[in-house]
Amino acid sequence: MEKQPLYEGKAKQIYATDKAEEVLVYYRDDATAFNGEKKGTILNKGILNNRISSFFFRLLTEQGIPNHFISMPSDREMLVKSLKILQVEVVVRNIAAGSLAKRIGWEEGRKLPAPVVELYYKNDELGDPLINHFHIQALRLATAEQVAAMEQSALKINDILTGYLKEKDIELIDFKLEFGLYQGQVILGDEISPDTCRFWDSKTGEKLDKDRFRRDLGKVEDAYKEVLHRLTGEVL
Ligand code: 5GP
Protein backbone atom coordinates (compact mmCIF):
# COMPACT_ATOMS: atom_id res chain seq x y z
CA MET A 1 0.00 0.00 0.00
CA GLU A 2 1.27 3.50 -0.91
CA LYS A 3 2.14 5.43 2.23
CA GLN A 4 0.28 8.70 2.66
CA PRO A 5 2.68 11.60 3.34
CA LEU A 6 1.46 13.94 6.07
CA TYR A 7 4.39 16.32 6.43
CA GLU A 8 7.82 16.88 4.92
CA GLY A 9 10.51 18.39 7.15
CA LYS A 10 14.09 19.36 6.34
CA ALA A 11 15.52 15.92 7.18
CA LYS A 12 12.49 13.73 7.89
CA GLN A 13 9.14 12.82 6.39
CA ILE A 14 6.01 11.84 8.28
CA TYR A 15 3.57 9.24 6.95
CA ALA A 16 0.15 8.16 8.13
CA THR A 17 -0.34 4.59 9.36
CA ASP A 18 -3.54 2.54 9.66
CA LYS A 19 -3.84 3.80 13.24
CA ALA A 20 -4.87 7.46 13.72
CA GLU A 21 -2.75 7.77 16.88
CA GLU A 22 0.49 6.53 15.26
CA VAL A 23 2.68 7.93 12.48
CA LEU A 24 5.79 6.72 10.69
CA VAL A 25 8.88 8.95 10.58
CA TYR A 26 11.27 8.41 7.64
CA TYR A 27 14.84 9.68 8.24
CA ARG A 28 16.56 11.05 5.09
CA ASP A 29 20.24 11.90 4.50
CA ASP A 30 19.52 15.60 3.86
CA ALA A 31 21.33 18.10 6.05
CA THR A 32 20.54 21.78 6.44
CA ALA A 33 21.99 24.51 8.61
CA PHE A 34 21.51 28.21 9.30
CA ASN A 35 17.75 28.00 8.90
CA GLY A 36 17.95 26.12 5.58
CA GLU A 37 20.52 28.47 3.96
CA LYS A 38 23.17 25.74 3.84
CA LYS A 39 22.09 22.47 2.24
CA GLY A 40 23.84 19.16 1.72
CA THR A 41 23.67 15.45 2.35
CA ILE A 42 25.52 13.30 4.84
CA LEU A 43 25.84 9.71 3.60
CA ASN A 44 23.74 7.35 5.75
CA LYS A 45 22.78 10.14 8.18
CA GLY A 46 19.16 8.96 8.08
CA ILE A 47 20.15 5.49 9.25
CA LEU A 48 22.61 6.80 11.85
CA ASN A 49 20.17 9.34 13.33
CA ASN A 50 17.31 6.85 13.37
CA ARG A 51 19.43 4.31 15.24
CA ILE A 52 20.94 6.89 17.63
CA SER A 53 17.54 8.50 18.36
CA SER A 54 15.90 5.11 18.88
CA PHE A 55 18.66 4.23 21.33
CA PHE A 56 18.14 7.44 23.32
CA PHE A 57 14.33 7.15 23.31
CA ARG A 58 14.57 3.57 24.64
CA LEU A 59 16.97 4.76 27.35
CA LEU A 60 14.60 7.59 28.33
CA THR A 61 11.61 5.24 28.35
CA GLU A 62 13.48 2.96 30.78
CA GLN A 63 14.12 6.03 32.95
CA GLY A 64 10.42 6.98 33.01
CA ILE A 65 10.50 9.93 30.59
CA PRO A 66 7.30 9.91 28.48
CA ASN A 67 8.17 10.12 24.77
CA HIS A 68 6.72 9.35 21.35
CA PHE A 69 8.91 6.33 20.46
CA ILE A 70 7.11 3.03 19.76
CA SER A 71 9.52 1.01 17.60
CA MET A 72 12.08 1.08 14.80
CA PRO A 73 10.55 -1.04 12.00
CA SER A 74 13.46 -0.44 9.61
CA ASP A 75 16.80 1.35 9.35
CA ARG A 76 15.26 4.63 8.22
CA GLU A 77 11.81 4.34 9.81
CA MET A 78 10.64 5.08 13.35
CA LEU A 79 7.08 4.36 14.46
CA VAL A 80 5.91 7.02 16.90
CA LYS A 81 2.83 8.32 18.67
CA SER A 82 1.19 11.13 16.70
CA LEU A 83 1.73 14.37 18.65
CA LYS A 84 0.43 17.89 18.26
CA ILE A 85 3.88 19.50 18.36
CA LEU A 86 4.13 22.62 20.54
CA GLN A 87 5.84 25.43 18.60
CA VAL A 88 8.52 25.86 21.26
CA GLU A 89 12.05 24.46 21.02
CA VAL A 90 13.65 23.71 24.37
CA VAL A 91 17.45 23.95 24.50
CA VAL A 92 19.48 22.76 27.49
CA ARG A 93 23.12 23.83 27.81
CA ASN A 94 25.90 22.60 30.10
CA ILE A 95 28.83 24.31 28.40
CA ALA A 96 28.79 27.58 26.46
CA ALA A 97 28.86 27.05 22.69
CA GLY A 98 27.13 28.21 19.52
CA SER A 99 24.57 30.99 19.84
CA LEU A 100 24.90 31.26 23.65
CA ALA A 101 28.66 31.79 23.46
CA LYS A 102 27.99 34.65 21.00
CA ARG A 103 25.07 36.13 22.97
CA ILE A 104 26.79 36.36 26.36
CA GLY A 105 30.36 36.81 25.12
CA TRP A 106 31.82 33.60 26.58
CA GLU A 107 34.42 31.51 24.79
CA GLU A 108 33.17 28.16 23.49
CA GLY A 109 33.94 25.39 25.95
CA ARG A 110 33.50 27.39 29.18
CA LYS A 111 31.44 25.39 31.66
CA LEU A 112 28.20 26.94 32.92
CA PRO A 113 27.81 26.83 36.73
CA ALA A 114 24.44 25.08 36.32
CA PRO A 115 22.45 23.88 33.29
CA VAL A 116 20.76 26.69 31.37
CA VAL A 117 17.35 26.10 29.77
CA GLU A 118 16.32 28.28 26.84
CA LEU A 119 13.09 28.53 24.87
CA TYR A 120 12.89 29.33 21.16
CA TYR A 121 9.89 30.06 18.94
CA LYS A 122 9.79 27.19 16.39
CA ASN A 123 9.20 29.34 13.32
CA ASP A 124 11.34 28.96 10.18
CA GLU A 125 10.26 32.31 8.69
CA LEU A 126 11.55 34.11 11.78
CA GLY A 127 14.66 31.91 12.15
CA ASP A 128 13.60 30.36 15.50
CA PRO A 129 14.08 33.42 17.77
CA LEU A 130 14.85 33.17 21.49
CA ILE A 131 11.69 33.85 23.54
CA ASN A 132 10.63 33.74 27.19
CA HIS A 133 7.55 32.68 29.20
CA PHE A 134 5.82 36.00 28.51
CA HIS A 135 6.15 35.62 24.73
CA ILE A 136 4.85 32.05 24.97
CA GLN A 137 1.73 33.25 26.79
CA ALA A 138 1.24 36.21 24.40
CA LEU A 139 1.57 33.95 21.35
CA ARG A 140 -0.52 31.19 23.03
CA LEU A 141 2.16 28.62 22.14
CA ALA A 142 1.67 26.63 25.36
CA THR A 143 0.12 27.06 28.81
CA ALA A 144 2.28 27.92 31.83
CA GLU A 145 1.82 24.32 33.07
CA GLN A 146 2.93 22.90 29.74
CA VAL A 147 6.05 25.10 29.76
CA ALA A 148 6.85 23.96 33.30
CA ALA A 149 6.40 20.32 32.24
CA MET A 150 8.74 20.79 29.26
CA GLU A 151 11.43 22.51 31.35
CA GLN A 152 11.27 19.87 34.09
CA SER A 153 11.44 17.02 31.62
CA ALA A 154 14.30 18.71 29.73
CA LEU A 155 16.40 18.99 32.89
CA LYS A 156 15.74 15.34 33.80
CA ILE A 157 16.70 14.29 30.28
CA ASN A 158 19.88 16.35 30.64
CA ASP A 159 20.79 14.47 33.83
CA ILE A 160 20.15 11.07 32.25
CA LEU A 161 21.99 11.78 28.99
CA THR A 162 24.92 13.63 30.56
CA GLY A 163 25.62 10.74 32.94
CA TYR A 164 25.21 8.09 30.28
CA LEU A 165 27.37 9.85 27.69
CA LYS A 166 30.15 10.60 30.16
CA GLU A 167 30.70 6.84 30.52
CA LYS A 168 31.17 6.71 26.75
CA ASP A 169 33.72 9.56 26.86
CA ILE A 170 31.27 11.99 25.31
CA GLU A 171 30.59 15.43 26.80
CA LEU A 172 27.01 16.64 26.29
CA ILE A 173 27.53 20.34 25.54
CA ASP A 174 23.93 21.26 24.65
CA PHE A 175 20.87 19.92 22.86
CA LYS A 176 17.45 20.85 21.50
CA LEU A 177 14.20 19.08 22.32
CA GLU A 178 10.67 19.31 20.95
CA PHE A 179 7.58 18.32 22.88
CA GLY A 180 3.98 17.71 21.84
CA LEU A 181 0.58 16.86 23.21
CA TYR A 182 -0.63 13.26 23.25
CA GLN A 183 -3.97 12.53 24.93
CA GLY A 184 -3.66 15.85 26.78
CA GLN A 185 -0.17 15.09 28.13
CA VAL A 186 3.09 16.85 27.26
CA ILE A 187 5.50 14.23 25.93
CA LEU A 188 8.88 14.31 24.21
CA GLY A 189 8.90 14.08 20.40
CA ASP A 190 11.22 14.74 17.43
CA GLU A 191 14.74 13.22 17.62
CA ILE A 192 17.87 13.16 19.77
CA SER A 193 20.90 12.82 17.52
CA PRO A 194 24.12 14.52 16.42
CA ASP A 195 21.83 16.81 14.37
CA THR A 196 20.21 18.18 17.52
CA CYS A 197 22.95 17.86 20.16
CA ARG A 198 26.53 19.01 20.57
CA PHE A 199 28.74 16.05 21.50
CA TRP A 200 32.44 16.58 22.21
CA ASP A 201 34.94 13.80 22.82
CA SER A 202 35.75 14.05 26.56
CA LYS A 203 39.45 13.41 26.07
CA THR A 204 40.32 15.23 22.83
CA GLY A 205 37.51 17.81 22.62
CA GLU A 206 36.86 16.66 19.05
CA LYS A 207 33.39 17.60 17.78
CA LEU A 208 31.16 14.58 17.09
CA ASP A 209 28.05 16.36 15.81
CA LYS A 210 26.47 18.56 13.15
CA ASP A 211 28.90 21.41 13.82
CA ARG A 212 31.27 19.42 11.57
CA PHE A 213 28.79 20.08 8.72
CA ARG A 214 27.85 23.63 9.81
CA ARG A 215 31.50 24.69 10.08
CA ASP A 216 32.95 22.60 7.20
CA LEU A 217 35.23 20.60 9.51
CA GLY A 218 35.10 17.44 7.38
CA LYS A 219 34.65 13.80 8.50
CA VAL A 220 30.98 14.46 9.22
CA GLU A 221 29.76 10.92 8.55
CA ASP A 222 32.63 9.45 10.60
CA ALA A 223 31.59 11.56 13.59
CA TYR A 224 27.97 10.31 13.45
CA LYS A 225 29.24 6.72 13.05
CA GLU A 226 31.51 7.16 16.05
CA VAL A 227 28.58 8.29 18.23
CA LEU A 228 26.51 5.25 17.17
CA HIS A 229 29.47 2.96 17.81
CA ARG A 230 30.15 4.34 21.29
CA LEU A 231 26.49 4.14 22.28
CA THR A 232 25.55 0.74 20.88
CA GLY A 233 28.75 -0.96 19.71
CA GLU A 234 27.25 -1.06 16.21
CA VAL A 235 29.46 -0.41 13.19
CA LEU A 236 27.83 1.03 10.06
P1 5GP B 1 22.58 27.01 19.17
O1 5GP B 1 21.48 27.90 19.73
O2 5GP B 1 23.86 27.19 19.92
O3 5GP B 1 22.71 27.19 17.69
O4 5GP B 1 22.10 25.51 19.36
C1 5GP B 1 22.02 24.92 20.64
C2 5GP B 1 21.79 23.43 20.52
O5 5GP B 1 20.48 23.17 20.05
C3 5GP B 1 22.73 22.73 19.54
O6 5GP B 1 23.00 21.43 20.05
C4 5GP B 1 21.92 22.62 18.26
O7 5GP B 1 22.27 21.46 17.53
C5 5GP B 1 20.50 22.52 18.79
N1 5GP B 1 19.53 23.25 17.96
C6 5GP B 1 19.01 24.48 18.19
N2 5GP B 1 18.13 24.83 17.23
C7 5GP B 1 18.10 23.81 16.37
C8 5GP B 1 17.36 23.56 15.16
O8 5GP B 1 16.54 24.36 14.71
N3 5GP B 1 17.62 22.38 14.54
C9 5GP B 1 18.52 21.48 15.03
N4 5GP B 1 18.72 20.34 14.33
N5 5GP B 1 19.18 21.66 16.16
C10 5GP B 1 18.99 22.81 16.83
Side-chain angles (χ1 to χ4, degrees):
M1 199 179 78
E2 190 74 358
K3 290 190 193 111
Q4 195 206 335
L6 294 177
Y7 174 78
E8 181 159 344
K10 285 179 281 212
K12 303 191 288 289
Q13 242 136 308
I14 313 285
Y15 294 95
T17 68
D18 50 12
K19 291 185 187 154
E21 68 280 10
E22 295 178 7
V23 292
L24 197 67
V25 182
Y26 183 89
Y27 282 72
R28 302 195 313 265
D29 287 348
D30 304 270
T32 64
F34 312 118
N35 201 28
E37 267 173 47
K38 178 169 179 163
K39 288 193 177 81
T41 52
I42 300 169
L43 187 67
N44 293 328
K45 177 170 81 83
I47 298 171
L48 292 157
N49 279 358
N50 188 27
R51 290 199 192 172
I52 294 167
S53 284
S54 295
F55 176 84
F56 281 131
F57 282 129
R58 288 191 183 109
L59 177 72
L60 293 175
T61 302
E62 279 169 21
Q63 300 289 324
I65 303 286
N67 67 76
H68 70 161
F69 181 81
I70 298 170
S71 64
M72 197 183 91
S74 82
D75 249 352
R76 288 181 183 272
E77 292 171 317
M78 188 188 286
L79 186 66
V80 301
K81 293 168 184 162
S82 174
L83 309 187
K84 183 179 174 290
I85 290 287
L86 297 166
Q87 300 305 300
V88 176
E89 296 185 354
V90 182
V91 168
V92 182
R93 302 179 184 268
N94 299 303
I95 292 179
S99 71
L100 178 72
K102 283 209 183 98
R103 192 177 325 111
I104 64 172
W106 282 25
E107 75 276 18
E108 281 210 316
R110 182 161 161 196
K111 193 174 172 21
L112 293 156
V116 168
V117 179
E118 294 174 341
L119 305 164
Y120 292 84
Y121 183 13
K122 184 174 156 65
N123 183 314
D124 280 340
E125 267 172 48
L126 300 176
D128 297 348
L130 181 72
I131 53 173
N132 66 27
H133 292 195
F134 289 90
H135 301 115
I136 291 177
Q137 298 321 310
L139 289 162
R140 302 257 186 273
L141 300 181
T143 66
E145 292 73 23
Q146 288 165 351
V147 176
M150 289 193 279
E151 289 175 336
Q152 241 179 21
S153 174
L155 285 169
K156 265 195 227 161
I157 292 167
N158 185 46
D159 278 346
I160 296 165
L161 298 187
T162 303
Y164 191 86
L165 287 162
K166 217 161 235 159
E167 287 175 24
K168 309 283 173 183
D169 281 334
I170 295 174
E171 204 72 37
L172 180 59
I173 307 303
D174 56 31
F175 58 98
K176 183 259 302 180
L177 301 172
E178 294 184 23
F179 293 85
L181 299 178
Y182 183 76
Q183 298 173 350
Q185 297 291 352
V186 174
I187 74 170
L188 177 68
D190 196 44
E191 67 178 284
I192 304 178
S193 72
D195 270 12
T196 62
C197 304
R198 285 196 173 94
F199 297 130
W200 292 3
D201 183 286
S202 305
K203 293 202 174 107
T204 65
E206 191 189 0
K207 292 178 176 36
L208 301 172
D209 57 61
K210 198 174 164 189
D211 273 349
R212 300 205 73 85
F213 170 76
R214 295 187 186 105
R215 303 179 188 188
D216 295 320
L217 300 176
K219 294 192 178 170
V220 186
E221 191 197 336
D222 288 349
Y224 283 59
K225 280 187 190 171
E226 179 64 22
V227 172
L228 178 71
H229 179 65
R230 288 202 203 173
L231 290 175
T232 66
E234 291 166 37
V235 178
L236 193 80

